[in-house]
Each structure stands twice: as structure tokens, then as C-alpha cells.
């Protein structure tokens, strides 16, 4: 089972007011974000990720963003049953509340509608107000597939720096974060680090993946916005 932590992007658009500060998540209803994931040599495409932003709706003091996620192998074959409907909440402060376990449950359900998949645990919070040197809250959740449990711990989260980078989609002023993702279950163990480049109003434009010893394993990069 692969790490499924969709962390995503946004330009504030439309009549819904999210907060005084834009969140690090997509709010462009009707737009698509297209990413490519590469091996360390940055030559071979391992996977593509597409986010299609369906709607942005008021929810309590904040908003709910509904979107579709499609994951494909580098050869174009769809993963996890294809296009999956998901949602994420943004609170009144502009913080993004990521239900990692719920996202994993929805994606895995695409493999088998008859499988008994449950999820529970804490949201992973992506604060609107981040500064270099900040420590971010960790989260712990569980996904159960037909009674077999997978624990996902997102820990050692920190804000590293501010940086300007260029991808095929453009040049962006970013805040860079780092976190460790540890997954444990029967016959499954994953332990890696991820550096994320976030843009206010445009979400993540790049993330780099490392193994537990900080050996580089590859990058996912924003290629275009449609």
C-alpha cells in the first residue's frame, strides 16, 4: 500500500470568503492541477496526479472544498480504481484540515466496493499562518481493511524556510515544510520524509520524497493548471 496523502493547492476565486489569509489548498472551482512524479534522475515519470476542483461551499465558519483525484502510473494506467471524489475543510483562520485516513479510505474503496474499509483519527492541520522555524502538530490515524489495520503517523513536522522555485507551471514564492510519514500494518512498513513547497493560494507545487535515512527517492512537481 502506498502513502496516500494528498496535500493540494488554490487560487481564491468566486463568492465564498475563506478567511483573511488564503489557505494552502486549491479553491479554483472548475480548474485542474496536473502533477508528475519522477525518479531521482528526474527523467522517468513514475506517476501522475490530477486534482479537479468541483466546488467551494460554506461550511460552518469556514468552507468545504470538493474535488476529484485521479492517480495514474507513468504508463497512463489508472490506480486505485480511477477518479475518486473527496473533500477537505478550511476553517475560519484559513487552516486546511486534511482527513488523511478518510482520504485513504475513499481511494482504497475504489479498488473494491465490497471491501469493509473504515477509518478514524486526527486531521493533519496545514496552518495558514506558517513561519520558518515553526513546529507543526503531528497526527495519528488508522485505516482498517476487512479488519486489517494500518496505522499512519505524520510526525516531526516543521517549517524549514521561504524559497522561490520554478516549475513548468510557473515561478512561485513558497513556504517549505518537512514531515515524516510512518505507516505500519501486517506485512507493510513505510518510513519516509517529505519536503513540501506550498504557495498561498496555490497549494503545493512540489514535494520531494526521501527514505528514513534522507536518501532522495524522487519528486512530484506541478506541471500545469487548466
Amino acid at each position: 500500500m502506498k502513502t496516500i496523502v494528498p496535500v493540494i493547492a488554490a487560487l481564491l476565486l468566486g463568492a465564498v470568503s475563506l478567511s483573511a489569509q488564503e489557505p494552502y489548498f486549491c479553491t479554483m472551482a472548475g480548474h485542474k492541477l496536473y502533477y508528475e512524479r519522477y525518479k531521482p534522475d528526474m527523467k522517468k515519470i513514475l506517476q501522475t496526479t490530477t486534482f479537479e476542483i468541483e466546488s467551494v461551499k460554506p461550511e460552518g465558519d469556514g468552507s468545504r472544498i470538493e474535488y476529484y483525484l485521479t492517480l495514474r502510473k507513468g504508463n497512463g494506467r489508472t490506480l486505485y480504481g480511477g477518479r475518486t471524489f473527496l473533500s477537505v475543510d478550511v476553517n475560519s483562520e484559513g487552516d486546511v484540515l486534511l482527513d488523511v485516513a478518510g482520504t485513504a479510505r475513499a481511494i482504497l474503496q475504489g479498488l473494491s466496493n465490497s471491501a469493509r474499509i473504515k477509518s478514524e483519527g486526527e486531521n493533519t492541520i496545514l496552518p495558514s499562518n506558517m513561519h520558518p522555524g515553526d513546529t507543526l502538530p503531528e497526527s495519528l490515524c488508522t485505516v482498517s481493511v476487512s479488519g486489517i489495520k494500518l496505522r499512519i503517523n505524520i510526525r516531526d513536522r516543521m517549517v524549514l524556510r521561504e524559497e522561490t522555485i520554478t516549475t513548468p507551471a510557473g515561478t512561485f514564492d513558497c513556504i517549505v515544510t518537512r514531515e515524516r510519514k510512518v505507516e505500519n500494518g501486517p506485512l507493510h512498513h513505510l518510513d519516509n520524509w517529505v519536503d513540501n513547497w506550498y504557495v498561498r493560494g496555490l497549494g503545493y507545487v512540489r514535494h520531494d520524497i526521501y527514505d528514513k535515512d534522507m536518501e532522495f527517492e524522487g519528486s512530484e512537481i506541478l506541471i500545469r493548471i487548466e
Side-chain angles (χ1 to χ4, degrees):
M1 188 181 299
K2 297 182 179 179
T3 302
I4 308 170
V5 185
V7 194
I8 0 179
L11 284 173
L12 187 59
L13 186 71
V16 179
S17 176
L18 294 176
S19 75
Q21 296 195 87
E22 295 179 63
Y24 293 104
F25 200 96
C26 188
T27 58
M28 295 188 298
H31 285 64
K32 295 182 182 180
L33 304 174
Y34 178 81
Y35 299 81
E36 291 177 350
R37 179 173 293 186
Y38 292 87
K39 283 188 171 183
D41 61 10
M42 302 302 290
K43 294 179 180 179
K44 182 177 181 179
I45 299 176
L46 292 175
Q47 179 180 304
T48 66
T49 302
T50 304
F51 295 101
E52 303 172 64
I53 308 305
E54 178 72 10
S55 65
V56 182
K57 301 176 180 179
E59 181 74 17
D61 293 332
S63 63
R64 174 161 293 174
I65 301 169
E66 297 177 334
Y67 62 99
Y68 289 94
L69 174 69
T70 304
L71 303 173
R72 298 180 185 273
K73 284 191 172 183
N75 62 10
R77 186 172 68 84
T78 56
L79 296 167
Y80 304 106
R83 195 167 177 249
T84 302
F85 180 76
L86 299 167
S87 66
V88 69
D89 290 331
V90 178
N91 68 18
S92 61
E93 302 299 319
D95 302 336
V96 180
L97 310 178
L98 298 164
D99 181 0
V100 174
T103 298
R105 182 193 68 237
I107 293 172
L108 292 173
Q109 198 72 65
L111 293 174
S112 173
N113 289 327
S114 62
R116 294 183 292 110
I117 303 176
K118 299 180 181 179
S119 64
E120 60 182 4
E122 305 159 319
N123 288 324
T124 300
I125 301 173
L126 185 63
S128 177
N129 188 23
M130 292 190 287
H131 303 281
D134 287 352
T135 298
L136 305 179
E138 71 172 51
S139 64
L140 178 65
C141 60
T142 301
V143 180
S144 176
V145 182
S146 298
I148 301 173
K149 290 187 177 181
L150 173 70
R151 289 168 57 88
I152 304 171
N153 187 197
I154 303 177
R155 48 183 280 198
D156 303 322
R157 303 179 69 219
M158 64 197 82
V159 183
L160 298 180
R161 62 187 179 276
E162 295 176 343
E163 184 178 359
T164 299
I165 67 168
T166 298
T167 81
T171 298
F172 307 102
D173 295 326
C174 307
I175 191 84
V176 186
T177 70
R178 175 173 290 168
E179 60 192 22
R180 187 174 185 177
K181 299 186 177 76
V182 180
E183 299 182 359
N184 280 303
L187 304 179
H188 173 80
H189 177 73
L190 184 144
D191 187 344
N192 61 23
W193 293 88
V194 178
D195 288 359
N196 295 293
W197 281 256
Y198 291 108
V199 178
R200 188 179 297 284
L202 194 61
Y204 85 95
V205 295
R206 172 176 176 154
H207 71 239
D208 287 358
I209 303 168
Y210 302 83
D211 69 14
K212 65 179 181 179
D213 298 317
M214 289 301 295
E215 290 292 327
F216 182 55
E217 293 189 331
S219 290
E220 183 167 289
I221 299 170
L222 179 64
I223 302 300
R224 64 179 180 270
I225 303 170
E226 300 176 351

